[in-house]
Amino acid sequence: MSGAVSASEALLGAVRAGRMGEAAGLLDGMTDAERRACLPALKDLRKELRAAPWDAASRKAYPALHAAGAACHTGAAGTAAWLTAADLRWSQASPGVLLHVLGDRERDWLGDVAHRLAERPPLAQVPYELMSGLVRLSGCPVPTTETYVVGWIEQVGSLWQRGDTVLQRLRQDPYTAELVAAVFEIPDIGSRLDWLFGDGPDSWFNALAQLTREGALDRKATVDACVARLLRGGVPSDCRVFLRLLTALGLTRDEERERAADWLALASDAVSTVASHAQSVLGSLALDGELTPRQLAEMSGGVLFRTEKKLVRAQLVLLGKALRCDPSSAAELLPAVAQAFGHEDTDVQERALKLVERHLDAAPPEVRGEVVDAAAELSPGLRVRAAETLGLEGADRVSEPYVELLPPAPEPARVPPAPESAVELAEEVGALLASGGDVAAFERTLDGLVRHGYRDRDALAEALKPVVTRLWWVDADPRYPSVEKYFRTDPHGLEVVLATLLGQVSTATLHRADQHGPMTDPCVHSAVAAAFNARLWEAAHRLSTDPLPFLLATPTWGSGLLEPDELVARLDEYRRLGARPGETDIAQALLRVRRDDSTASAAAAERAAALGTAEGNRLALWLTTDGPSLPWSSRRTSGVRILLELGELDGVPGEFPPAFQRIGRPVSLFKARAYCAHYWDRAERHHWLAVVPGRRELVAARLLRELSSVAVEGTRGDASVLPLLAEAPGEAGEAVHLGVAYGLGARHPEDRLSAVDALLVLAAQGQLDTERLGADLGQLMRRGAVKPLRLAESVRTAATTGAYATVWEILRAALPVLLADLATDGAAASARGFGELLAVAAECAERTGARGCVAHLAQAADRRGSSRLVTQARRLRATLDHGVAA
């Protein structure tokens, strides 16, 4: 026993000192019992090192500890776990040392360790040299797990470490056949290894193809594995890697013919690059007579419904060649061609119709009937042509008069009353902190905090503790002023109220913020943001000094509007309780009170005056006078942008607090900063509409630079406010329409969808000025702020919801601006994608039966060539001349 203790102490000393050679020498002479005796001390040292700082001198022991711990485990599972431990991963022993200290074990034991290591996930970062060394020493079957195979490929591909080639390495490796077969079974391997599968004579693709030709790899099994992997699909990098390998193998015509069913499946469902390859293989077989007309028709049924226009057009070309080679195949192929009549691209429809026109005479009568049925899917203009050129009965049947389908206008939603219990309110707070919530949820929660803080602050604080534990300031050290500074510059939504209730912010800080606030911020958002923040600071300050029984300004509706009767009742309750209203609270209530019903306003004013309080008199006067009118606006340009400046908002009472006085000040977009804290923080933007309900132009104008950025700079997410602007009450003027115009040209699809939603809501409310929006879009496209291709995608989405007439009126106003540039014999800078925009316009005109003319359209239609721009201009001109209706 004393010898064992002595060996253990010696090994531990060598490990602590980081003397790897000495530790390895000591391990060589130990028995299994001696090694097991050393293990507890090594585990204790490992625990000690875990707690040591990263720069501690003791950490030099890690590599020796890694090797010694692995050697002292006598079980394969324990050794594998020690070798892959996360805390030892970054300072482990080299694979050569590990193989030395483990190499004297039994072969079966070494093979067990090798397979256990190979089964670890790739994140364990097990060195391939260690696994392969254990396999070599044990003579066990090679592992085919993801970790082992990926390590093998990376090792073989590291040509800069040695002078040989990939092909030479693969020839020399006795396990190449097993490991190559395993490559096809590993998911997402292409995304990890695509960078290694480069091009050139020494690429993996050429090496594997050469090994297949030499017979080192079974050719049929390799080809079948490639095709099977492509059929399985997956991430694009996987498909790219295995398609390139399949191409490098150079399939013979017999091999291609044997897999006809696989090509059919790939052409229909695979990613675009794979489908294109399958289409080319099938096309070659079909033109050589090795694919039956039925098989070609089956293939066409899948390809013609794909969204990739290149594939669809190539398929129609193939069908045309097959029909010319074998006119008798018309009975099988023409119904397949007619399936393209329902394609969204009218160019594709026209190509298909031309094929039918050319070959329908050779088809039997029953095929003509199928084509007649399919012709109903053609665009209205092509449907008329089909009736004229083919004499198809029913193709020109009169449809129902066009009816515009718009979504129902959103109904105003009432703000529910605050929760009755503190526990229920705390749950609402937790949900609001997690999700952000809308105006209604925020306002009822804020009112609930004020109400329950007035009734029983201690009970409310106790209920809130479990839901605010994740907020950083809850357990902040009071010796550091970070919390005070945090709330002195910004209330951070409800957080300032919650921190006040929990005693985490001082009354002095709240008083300073309530009295002054950050009034020096020159950004265009600061007016509405300052008013929103001032109300939160006041609520928090009054909780600390003179709690309010409830908030006067809590809106009746989710839009932020407050019914006058409800405000009168609240003032009456304040009078009964002898409570002193907050200055910002009453100012916000006056801005929110609804005054569009003169009868209701007059009656409420009379009851307010009868209260005999100063606030009642203020409300009575407010309800019987005209409110602030919208300020004048002036357009300005900034680079490619069109922005707005606002004049002064008249009618803001002088007794309003300073934060609310700022709402009425003029806004100059070019004297204020382009970027500010509000530019990056979008969390509170939707509340700004409720600060000045009924005056959405004030908010839209202040957000116009951010809205323009989604189109000009490609920012993401700023257009999410557009549906809220569309649903908000008040006039939709220049700012709202410009904001929607920028959103329709946004770079990111989700922003374009937000703009489409806003457009449809405005149209459903009867507040969309299509002439104004179209003119704005035309100017923005001409300046380069909005790209026609993005706009085409947006308006096509809007039209397919059923708003074809609305979209047509917008495009009727937008197109002449760009057509005028084309009419000058030059190409407009924004011409890219213009053809797609004309295609949407033509479809909308066809479906709605629009007539008349569009300025400069004739000159575009008379241009030479058959580009998409020219063909769609001709289509639109023909539609407007004939008034085709769907």
Side-chain angles (χ1 to χ4, degrees):
M1 177 64 73
S2 61
V5 172
S6 177
S8 174
E9 292 175 350
L11 178 62
L12 188 61
V15 168
R16 277 190 179 276
R19 296 191 295 271
M20 180 68 76
E22 181 182 342
L26 291 170
L27 288 167
D28 286 343
M30 288 185 181
T31 64
D32 284 350
E34 289 174 331
R35 292 185 181 188
R36 283 193 295 269
C38 294
L39 195 55
L42 294 174
K43 290 181 177 179
D44 290 340
L45 177 58
R46 180 180 171 187
K47 292 179 182 178
E48 177 186 327
L49 292 179
R50 284 176 188 164
W54 278 101
D55 58 350
S58 59
R59 299 187 66 84
K60 65 183 179 181
Y62 263 119
L65 176 62
H66 187 238
C72 290
H73 276 85
T74 54
T79 299
W82 183 278
L83 287 170
T84 56
D87 59 320
L88 300 171
R89 185 176 304 159
W90 305 111
S91 300
Q92 55 185 274
S94 68
V97 170
L98 293 173
L99 292 173
H100 172 78
V101 298
L102 298 175
D104 59 349
R105 302 296 184 91
E106 295 180 359
R107 292 165 62 91
D108 290 344
W109 187 91
L110 292 173
D112 192 0
V113 173
H115 279 265
R116 289 178 183 273
L117 292 176
E119 289 169 1
R120 297 284 175 170
L123 289 177
Q125 298 181 351
V126 182
Y128 170 75
E129 295 86 348
L130 174 61
M131 293 184 291
S132 61
L134 291 171
V135 170
R136 184 178 64 255
L137 291 173
S138 66
C140 67
V142 65
T144 55
T145 63
E146 180 177 1
T147 294
Y148 194 92
V149 174
V150 170
W152 171 72
I153 292 178
E154 291 177 344
Q155 178 74 9
V156 173
S158 301
L159 293 180
W160 58 86
Q161 295 179 4
R162 292 170 57 184
D164 52 6
T165 65
V166 169
L167 179 58
Q168 290 170 338
R169 290 190 180 193
L170 291 176
R171 282 174 176 161
Q172 295 166 4
D173 194 325
Y175 303 113
T176 291
E178 295 95 319
L179 293 173
V180 168
V183 167
F184 297 99
E185 304 302 323
I186 296 175
D188 296 345
I189 194 169
S191 60
R192 297 187 180 93
L193 305 177
D194 191 17
W195 67 276
L196 284 172
F197 279 54
D199 293 317
D202 194 36
S203 70
W204 268 85
F205 304 109
N206 289 334
L208 292 177
Q210 180 62 31
L211 289 175
T212 304
R213 287 190 289 271
E214 295 173 358
L217 297 177
D218 183 87
R219 180 174 179 84
K220 184 177 185 305
T222 304
V223 172
D224 287 344
C226 263
V227 174
R229 187 57 186 265
L230 293 174
L231 286 168
R232 191 189 312 170
V235 296
S237 56
D238 266 11
C239 297
R240 181 167 57 248
V241 164
F242 291 107
L243 177 60
R244 290 170 69 185
L245 177 56
L246 184 65
T247 305
L249 290 171
L251 270 63
T252 65
R253 179 48 58 93
D254 289 339
E255 289 173 326
E256 291 177 339
R257 190 188 311 110
E258 290 171 3
R259 295 167 175 81
D262 295 330
W263 306 129
L264 289 170
L266 290 172
S268 300
D269 300 320
V271 298
S272 181
T273 52
V274 177
S276 179
H277 177 78
Q279 184 184 47
S280 66
V281 172
L282 289 169
S284 178
L285 290 172
L287 296 179
D288 288 347
E290 298 185 71
L291 202 67
T292 66
R294 182 175 295 278
Q295 288 177 310
L296 183 56
E298 179 187 348
M299 168 194 175
S300 302
V303 175
L304 292 177
F305 280 98
R306 294 184 66 107
T307 57
E308 302 93 335
K309 296 176 184 177
K310 182 178 179 181
L311 289 176
V312 174
R313 291 169 182 169
Q315 190 65 24
L316 290 175
V317 170
L318 173 61
L319 288 168
K321 291 179 179 179
L323 286 166
R324 285 196 301 272
C325 293
D326 182 10
S328 65
S329 64
E332 293 280 359
L333 298 185
L334 282 186
V337 173
Q339 294 181 59
F341 289 171
H343 198 275
E344 64 177 16
D345 186 354
T346 56
D347 283 350
V348 170
Q349 294 182 19
E350 187 173 10
R351 288 169 184 258
L353 181 56
K354 286 180 179 178
L355 273 180
V356 170
E357 290 170 345
R358 195 176 299 126
H359 298 282
L360 190 60
D361 291 342
E366 60 270 18
V367 172
R368 178 178 290 269
E370 289 187 53
V371 174
V372 169
D373 293 338
E377 299 297 323
L378 288 167
S379 66
L382 291 176
R383 197 183 312 149
V384 172
R385 170 178 161 180
E388 293 174 352
T389 59
L390 303 179
L392 301 179
E393 295 182 4
D396 58 344
R397 60 180 178 269
V398 178
S399 302
E400 294 290 330
Y402 174 76
V403 177
E404 186 83 340
L405 297 176
L406 294 172
E411 295 290 333
R414 278 189 169 270
V415 176
E420 288 295 329
S421 71
V423 173
E424 184 183 355
L425 175 62
E427 293 176 355
E428 296 277 346
V429 169
L432 199 63
L433 291 174
S435 64
D438 56 11
V439 169
F442 181 88
E443 291 290 344
R444 73 186 293 261
T445 304
L446 176 61
D447 184 50
L449 291 171
V450 171
R451 287 175 183 269
H452 285 279
Y454 176 80
R455 297 174 191 170
D456 190 342
R457 175 170 173 170
D458 293 338
L460 177 58
E462 191 65 28
L464 287 173
K465 286 179 181 178
V467 301
V468 299
T469 53
R470 292 187 179 181
L471 297 176
W472 70 270
W473 45 258
V474 172
D475 298 319
D477 191 333
R479 295 176 296 175
Y480 296 98
S482 55
V483 177
E484 302 294 330
K485 182 179 179 181
Y486 181 71
F487 288 116
R488 189 162 54 245
T489 56
D490 194 304
H492 301 282
L494 288 181
E495 287 190 41
V496 69
V497 179
L498 298 173
T500 301
L501 289 167
L502 295 175
Q504 290 296 109
V505 60
S506 69
T507 303
T509 295
L510 294 173
H511 176 74
R512 190 179 303 110
D514 183 33
Q515 293 300 310
H516 304 289
M519 302 296 290
T520 58
D521 191 350
C523 76
V524 295
H525 317 99
S526 59
V528 284
F532 176 73
N533 291 343
R535 185 159 165 257
L536 292 166
W537 272 316
E538 181 185 74
H541 182 240
R542 289 291 297 269
L543 278 170
S544 291
T545 56
D546 181 17
L548 297 168
F550 52 83
L551 292 176
L552 295 172
T554 302
T556 306
W557 305 101
S559 63
L561 287 173
L562 172 59
E563 291 296 330
D565 286 343
E566 194 165 339
L567 181 53
V568 172
R570 293 175 186 174
L571 288 174
D572 188 26
E573 181 64 13
Y574 261 64
R575 179 190 59 80
R576 188 187 69 79
L577 295 172
R580 177 175 62 89
E583 291 183 12
T584 60
D585 191 29
I586 186 63
Q588 179 66 88
L590 293 177
L591 280 178
R592 283 178 170 174
V593 71
R594 190 169 65 88
R595 296 191 290 178
D596 55 356
D597 186 339
S598 58
T599 304
S601 295
E606 184 177 348
R607 290 193 296 274
L611 295 177
T613 62
E615 290 74 23
N617 293 333
R618 284 180 66 183
L619 176 59
L621 180 63
W622 182 264
L623 290 171
T624 53
T625 57
D626 293 334
S629 58
L630 285 175
W632 58 264
S633 62
S634 176
R635 290 195 169 207
R636 296 287 186 269
T637 58
S638 175
V640 298
R641 290 175 166 89
I642 299 175
L643 302 174
L644 293 178
E645 289 190 325
L646 298 181
E648 186 170 357
L649 179 67
D650 296 328
V652 178
E655 64 269 20
F656 270 23
F660 285 83
Q661 287 289 336
R662 299 181 68 190
I663 294 175
R665 294 179 185 174
V667 176
S668 173
L669 297 176
F670 306 104
K671 292 182 181 178
R673 293 200 309 268
Y675 301 99
C676 62
H678 306 107
Y679 183 86
W680 309 111
D681 185 6
R682 308 182 184 120
E684 295 175 357
R685 288 182 186 176
H686 59 292
H687 293 294
W688 295 349
L689 287 163
V691 173
V692 283
R695 299 174 182 85
R696 55 182 162 184
E697 280 288 293
L698 294 178
V699 178
R702 287 173 167 85
L703 290 174
L704 204 51
R705 182 174 287 276
E706 284 78 16
L707 292 173
S708 68
S709 295
V710 301
V712 177
E713 298 173 5
T715 58
R716 186 192 298 268
D718 284 302
S720 60
V721 75
L722 286 174
L724 300 176
L725 282 169
E727 294 175 12
E731 177 185 344
E734 277 189 297
V736 171
H737 282 79
L738 264 176
V740 173
Y742 282 120
L744 292 173
R747 174 183 178 183
H748 297 287
E750 61 268 31
D751 286 318
R752 294 198 293 269
L753 285 176
S754 293
V756 169
D757 288 344
L759 183 152
L760 295 174
V761 168
L762 289 171
Q765 294 173 336
Q767 296 178 330
L768 181 67
D769 187 335
T770 55
E771 187 76 21
R772 168 181 276 171
L773 180 58
D776 287 343
L777 285 167
Q779 291 298 327
L780 291 173
M781 284 190 288
R782 188 177 192 182
R783 297 177 64 86
V786 167
K787 293 178 170 55
L789 188 59
R790 295 176 184 172
L791 177 61
E793 293 176 3
S794 296
V795 292
R796 181 181 287 113
T797 301
T800 53
T801 66
Y804 289 98
T806 299
V807 171
W808 165 242
E809 292 302 324
I810 294 170
L811 294 181
R812 183 197 286 270
L815 292 175
V817 180
L818 295 184
L819 290 170
D821 290 340
L822 292 174
T824 60
D825 245 354
S830 54
R832 184 176 180 273
F834 194 12
E836 294 296 331
L837 199 59
L838 285 169
V840 179
E843 182 178 4
C844 292
E846 288 171 351
R847 288 181 177 271
T848 58
R851 298 291 296 269
C853 64
V854 174
H856 310 293
L857 177 62
Q859 292 93 321
D862 290 337
R863 288 165 68 96
R864 296 179 180 178
S866 57
S867 66
R868 185 157 178 79
L869 189 154
V870 173
T871 57
Q872 293 303 318
R874 293 169 183 166
R875 173 190 172 196
L876 178 57
R877 181 176 64 176
T879 300
L880 295 177
D881 288 345
H882 296 91
V884 179

